Amino acid sequence: LSTRGSGTVADLGERGAIADIRARVLPSPPWLLAGIGDDAAVAAPERGALDVFTTDALVEGVHFDLTSSTAADVGWKALAVNLSDLAAMGATPRLALLSLVLPATFATHDFHALVDGFLALAREARVTLAGGNIARSPGPLIVDVTAIGSVRPRRVLYRSGARAGDELYVTGTIGAASAGLMYSKESKDSKKLKALQPAEGRDTPIEAAAQPADPLLAACVARQRRPIPRVRVGVLLGRNRAASACMDLSDGLADALVQVTEASGVGATVDARALPIDAGALHWFAAHGADPIQAALAGGEDYELLIAVPRRGRRRLETVRQQARGVALTRIGEVTREPGVRILRDGAVESLPRGFVHF
Amino acid sequence: LSTRGSGTVADLGERGAIADIRARVLPSPPWLLAGIGDDAAVAAPERGALDVFTTDALVEGVHFDLTSSTAADVGWKALAVNLSDLAAMGATPRLALLSLVLPATFATHDFHALVDGFLALAREARVTLAGGNIARSPGPLIVDVTAIGSVRPRRVLYRSGARAGDELYVTGTIGAASAGLMYSKESKDSKKLKALQPAEGRDTPIEAAAQPADPLLAACVARQRRPIPRVRVGVLLGRNRAASACMDLSDGLADALVQVTEASGVGATVDARALPIDAGALHWFAAHGADPIQAALAGGEDYELLIAVPRRGRRRLETVRQQARGVALTRIGEVTREPGVRILRDGAVESLPRGFVHF
């Protein structure tokens, strides 16, 4: 479907936009009895399972801008941040609803790219787009997603289950998205200077998002633009009953440590030297005079999982590790009776940096 | 909780805003295992029922403005439009997720009013606020809601079930919201003129939305600002298996007639003289030189239901009527084999006006 240069979503109209989405969606699974096109979606719940619901929005100018992310990135990420919340509950994703608030000037090819980015992750995660809404925006582009999953009753991972003596783990690496975002902001600033010079037939900014030559840094930029939610690890943690508590790192590890310990009525001690800081991020932070540990603790958007594991659950965690297809699970500290979060570095105690502030 | 004049949502912060919402929510029903405060909401599905999901957003400057609606109206209506979609499927509402995109300058007392307006309808409709999201807006206020309901498998009302020979009904009256909106727009324009004169200690415009002295017109304004979704009638239609198809009138009766007939592969003939046009709207349209029938067909936001009833379902519809607590059910025409929608007035055939255009 090549519709490049064919106008804006205002030309397409609501019906045209919905028809274009329907044309891109895979055939419905048998348990979806009504999808796009009726007043609401109708689905048979998973037998014997609980329903899990979450919603999260990406707002242009707050969570992304279309000079450093493509429209496809935004579509992908809007689903990813919601699947990350389902993963943190141990839930298997099933359905999503896509609520778009689109400026009338939004280009049709960007609209298609956004939907295709969303559907690319949906296919990978076996999520069915079951419905949504399209409204006009007098300002920013907003992509609001509701994701719906299922989980068996005794496999749910709550924030509030951590107990003193549990070990704390994180998946993958941290700091990468934060370094990637800093790179994108820097390269955007230098682009602004370039824009003062005569144009050289470049593509539109929305497609020309800067890519660093350094592959480690490029991986950081990719992580920030197209995070990969830890769906499989979340499901494995629930299935193996390996975790007492879990939360995703949307607003950074420091924030997640505070949230999980407060919800559980406990504290935590974290070994700074054990933190799995991303290699590209380490280089970037060092080159920019930032303390890598503080930066990695504060940096949001890694969409990894923070996991509390009871000592008797260690062998279960090994089972998860074996089935996790190479996703690292790093022990970073432990849950304490004493409230508060303490970062231990070289025998000294450090305070926590603040996470992402939404207002 | 009086917080009048105590600042903006930026002062409140995300955590403060979420805490204020939690303080307003009723205790969770036993089937809600995790609500506000975890990564996602967890609910046990209704036994033996299907899940029904819908999402719809209200955007400042497109669907409302805060000179003619209060913040409480906006909160109420954001839930109402979603419950209307559930009603159109025959579903009983259970849960809602509230996704807010708030300008940093949004006043704390308006934020509280918005949430209270939402929760006022939630209480009436027995809907539990189970979660949501708060993001900052660099532009308009956006209230995006996902509503989740349940319905037994053989009671679902689809758009696509209408068959030639079925009778068409609408609930309540039509045209009211459209007349109410026209009144609000007119009075807003006259307010602008007033604003050029010295202030007279009036309250802020957000609280001072104009109310007409004529009670019939005041009812129209109220319908537009605080629509009452036909939740009970939708459930009764499903429970009594009285309808072959159903859709709500969010974008007007003309639009609903087109959508239902197209989805069902049929046509319709509508008797213009049978349309239950609201009395206040009739006066308003007449006084403004508009043809009441065309205006009532085109006018959106009445959130009534269009229902197709098989002839053998007439007695079942009588049962619904008896249990509908005074909500009118008016026969307006019938489903035809011949495609297209024909409006018959005094023996002549008229074409359909266009409904609300979203872009």
Side-chain angles (χ1 to χ4, degrees), chain A residues 152-359:
Chain A
R152 299 203 170 268
R154 296 187 56 200
R155 296 179 179 179
V156 190
L157 308 175
Y158 298 104
R159 275 189 199 176
S160 55
R163 296 294 170 257
D166 291 357
E167 294 183 317
L168 291 171
Y169 287 80
V170 290
T171 57
T173 63
I174 61 171
S178 167
L181 182 63
M182 287 162 79
Y183 170 84
S184 295
K185 279 186 177 163
E186 266 201 22
S187 73
K188 190 178 138 195
D189 289 343
S190 56
K191 258 195 202 162
K192 275 185 191 154
L193 294 174
K194 267 194 194 161
L196 296 173
Q197 298 162 5
E200 293 162 42
R202 283 195 309 136
D203 204 344
T204 53
I206 196 167
E207 306 252 324
Q211 276 293 354
D214 171 6
L216 288 177
L217 190 54
C220 290
V221 171
R223 280 276 295 274
Q224 197 272 328
R225 286 168 56 179
R226 294 213 177 198
I228 296 170
R230 294 301 187 192
V231 174
R232 185 176 166 79
V233 176
V235 170
L236 287 172
L237 287 168
R239 190 182 294 165
N240 289 283
R241 298 189 196 162
S244 58
C246 187
M247 180 178 169
D248 79 327
L249 305 192
S250 45
D251 293 344
L253 178 56
D255 175 74
L257 286 163
V258 170
Q259 303 281 353
V260 166
T261 54
E262 284 185 357
S264 302
V266 293
T269 301
V270 171
D271 177 5
R273 297 295 176 197
L275 294 176
I277 304 176
D278 179 87
L282 258 183
H283 287 155
W284 177 267
F285 294 142
H288 288 73
D291 174 52
I293 286 163
Q294 288 282 318
L297 279 163
E301 300 202 308
D302 283 320
Y303 297 102
E304 299 291 356
L305 299 177
L306 170 65
I307 309 156
V309 179
R311 296 209 177 246
R312 57 176 171 69
R314 265 193 189 171
R315 289 179 67 180
R316 293 172 179 175
L317 190 72
E318 283 314 304
T319 309
V320 172
R321 195 193 302 274
Q322 281 157 27
Q323 298 174 347
R325 295 185 187 156
V327 176
L329 287 163
T330 307
R331 186 186 177 286
I332 60 161
E334 62 175 37
V335 178
T336 60
R337 189 161 316 223
E338 192 191 348
V341 179
R342 289 158 299 282
I343 309 296
L344 298 183
R345 175 163 21 175
D346 308 330
V349 177
E350 288 179 21
S351 61
L352 275 183
R354 288 185 66 194
F356 180 75
V357 175
H358 289 258
F359 286 115

Side-chain angles (χ1 to χ4, degrees), chain A residues 9-15 17 31 33-34 37-46 49-57 59-63 84-86 88-89 94-95 97-104 130-140 142 144-148 151 153 156-160 246-248 251 255 258-259 262-263 356-359, chain B residues 9-15 17 31 33-34 37-46 49-57 59-63 84-86 88-89 94-95 97-104 130-140 142 144-148 151 153 156-160 246-248 250-251 255 258-259 262-263 356 358-359:
Chain A
V9 288
D11 306 324
L12 201 59
E14 189 196 17
R15 298 257 184 108
W31 46 261
L33 305 171
D38 215 315
D39 289 57
V42 180
E46 180 84 22
L50 303 169
D51 286 333
V52 184
F53 307 108
T54 191
T55 184
D56 207 348
V59 181
E60 183 181 5
V62 177
H63 302 103
S84 181
D85 280 327
L86 293 185
M89 305 302 292
R94 298 180 93 207
L95 297 170
L97 307 176
L98 176 59
S99 178
L100 293 169
V101 187
L102 304 175
N133 188 58
I134 301 182
R136 185 166 65 81
S137 173
I142 291 164
D144 201 353
V145 172
T146 296
I148 298 146
V151 63
V156 190
L157 308 175
Y158 298 104
R159 275 189 199 176
S160 55
C246 187
M247 180 178 169
D248 79 327
D251 293 344
D255 175 74
V258 170
Q259 303 281 353
E262 284 185 357
F356 180 75
V357 175
H358 289 258
F359 286 115
Chain B
V9 287
D11 307 324
L12 202 58
E14 190 197 16
R15 299 256 183 108
W31 46 262
L33 305 172
D38 217 314
D39 288 56
V42 181
E46 180 85 21
L50 302 169
D51 286 332
V52 185
F53 308 107
T54 190
T55 185
D56 208 348
V59 181
E60 183 181 5
V62 177
H63 303 103
S84 181
D85 280 326
L86 293 185
M89 305 303 291
R94 298 180 92 208
L95 296 170
L97 307 176
L98 176 59
S99 179
L100 294 168
V101 187
L102 305 174
N133 188 59
I134 301 182
R136 185 167 65 81
S137 173
I142 292 164
D144 201 354
V145 172
T146 297
I148 299 146
V151 63
V156 190
L157 309 174
Y158 298 104
R159 276 189 199 174
S160 55
C246 187
M247 181 178 168
D248 79 327
S250 45
D251 294 343
D255 174 73
V258 170
Q259 302 281 352
E262 285 186 357
F356 180 74
H358 289 258
F359 287 115

